[in-house]
Amino acid sequence: MCLDRAVKERLILFNPCDDCILPKDERPEMKTLKPEDISKYLEEAKRRNVLLMFFLELCTGLRKGELIALLWSDLNMEDKTISVTKQASRKKGGGSRVTKPKTATSVRTESIPQEAIDLLIEEHNKHPDNPYMFPSPATGEMYYPDAVSRLHTKIMKCAGLEHIRFHDLRHTFATTALQNGVDIRTVSSMLGHADPGFTLRTYTHATSKVQEQAAATMGMVMGEHL
């Protein structure tokens, strides 16, 4: 934009960026927890007294900043929902800050399973006066984002599992939900995506398996008429 403006003001004859060929956007390979490894992962999280935080992550696919910013006031136990209205992130120079999610669709209400409700009740009894749903045991305040990533790495290592990023737990949620018949629009809204088409493109590998299952079902149904 600066160079385009320079052309208009006749400071340069042409924009040298016009003929640039941009490199392809190479995204890191998506990894997920294998179904057979989820129990090992949660067992190690339980041993470290952080079962609820990581169980809830696998059930909802929340972004890390959304997860650690949750307050008890965000929980509606009667409706079995949590309100996602804020996110935590690192500040330049250290520390954390809490802001609104980056997009309007990221502000959402998510349903959570009864298993999570039961764990939440148990967790709340441990620190009933703390406003944070997942306070850091070191400070009693909100977890620092990098601390959660380090904790996740320790869980993976001690459970003897191949390392994946914390963000890949979000991918694990989406992939597992789609492969078990949850529709793309529901998964997209739970992830806080603005466009279900983006979710569909991102998780093509998961929806292809669902299509195979659908094809097998239709084969059985239509095969009865042969």
Side-chain angles (χ1 to χ4, degrees):
M1 290 175 65
C2 292
L3 291 170
D4 281 340
R5 184 67 185 179
V7 172
K8 290 180 180 179
E9 295 186 7
R10 301 181 185 279
L11 299 175
I12 56 177
L13 295 176
F14 65 94
N15 186 339
C17 291
D18 286 344
D19 296 325
C20 288
I21 300 175
L22 297 177
K24 292 182 179 180
D25 183 16
E26 295 184 2
R27 296 181 180 180
E29 180 185 357
M30 182 187 298
K31 295 183 178 180
T32 61
L33 267 179
K34 298 176 183 177
E36 62 269 23
D37 291 338
I38 293 177
S39 293
K40 295 179 183 178
Y41 182 86
L42 292 177
E43 284 173 7
E44 181 59 27
K46 183 177 182 179
R47 192 181 71 82
R48 292 174 176 271
N49 296 317
V50 288
L51 172 62
L52 173 59
M53 181 163 63
F54 292 98
F55 179 77
L56 189 64
E57 172 61 26
L58 288 168
C59 288
T60 61
L62 293 178
R63 298 177 180 93
K64 178 171 57 179
E66 296 170 342
L67 182 70
I68 63 177
L70 286 174
L71 303 174
W72 287 113
S73 57
D74 296 321
L75 172 66
N76 186 322
M77 203 165 294
E78 183 177 344
D79 293 342
K80 299 180 184 178
T81 61
I82 51 174
S83 298
V84 183
T85 59
K86 54 196 170 302
Q87 64 179 6
S89 59
R90 289 183 297 176
K91 289 194 303 185
K92 290 183 179 179
S96 303
R97 63 176 180 174
V98 177
T99 59
K100 290 183 178 180
K102 57 183 179 180
T103 64
T105 52
S106 293
V107 177
R108 58 202 188 276
T109 299
E110 290 212 15
S111 296
I112 57 176
Q114 182 61 48
E115 291 82 357
I117 292 291
D118 295 339
L119 289 173
L120 281 163
I121 293 173
E122 183 180 334
E123 182 69 19
H124 191 245
N125 290 333
K126 296 178 182 178
H127 44 87
D129 299 323
N130 195 307
Y132 291 104
M133 195 173 286
F134 308 113
S136 165
T139 65
E141 300 294 326
M142 182 180 66
Y143 261 104
Y144 186 61
D146 286 351
V148 175
S149 296
R150 290 193 294 269
L151 179 56
H152 161 74
T153 298
K154 290 178 181 177
I155 290 173
M156 296 293 298
K157 184 177 180 180
C158 291
L161 303 176
E162 179 184 357
H163 176 71
I164 61 173
R165 303 168 303 162
F166 178 90
H167 191 74
D168 290 322
L169 298 181
R170 180 170 163 88
H171 295 322
T172 300
F173 156 76
T175 299
T176 304
L178 289 168
Q179 290 181 344
N180 284 276
V182 182
D183 67 275
I184 193 71
R185 286 188 175 276
T186 299
V187 173
S188 183
S189 65
M190 292 185 73
L191 291 172
H193 287 169
D195 176 20
F198 172 79
T199 311
L200 183 61
R201 293 189 297 273
T202 303
Y203 297 102
T204 301
H205 66 285
T207 55
S208 62
K209 182 176 180 181
V210 176
Q211 288 182 29
E212 290 174 5
Q213 295 171 347
T217 299
M218 292 305 298
M220 287 189 295
V221 173
M222 294 302 174
E224 295 177 357
H225 300 281
L226 291 176

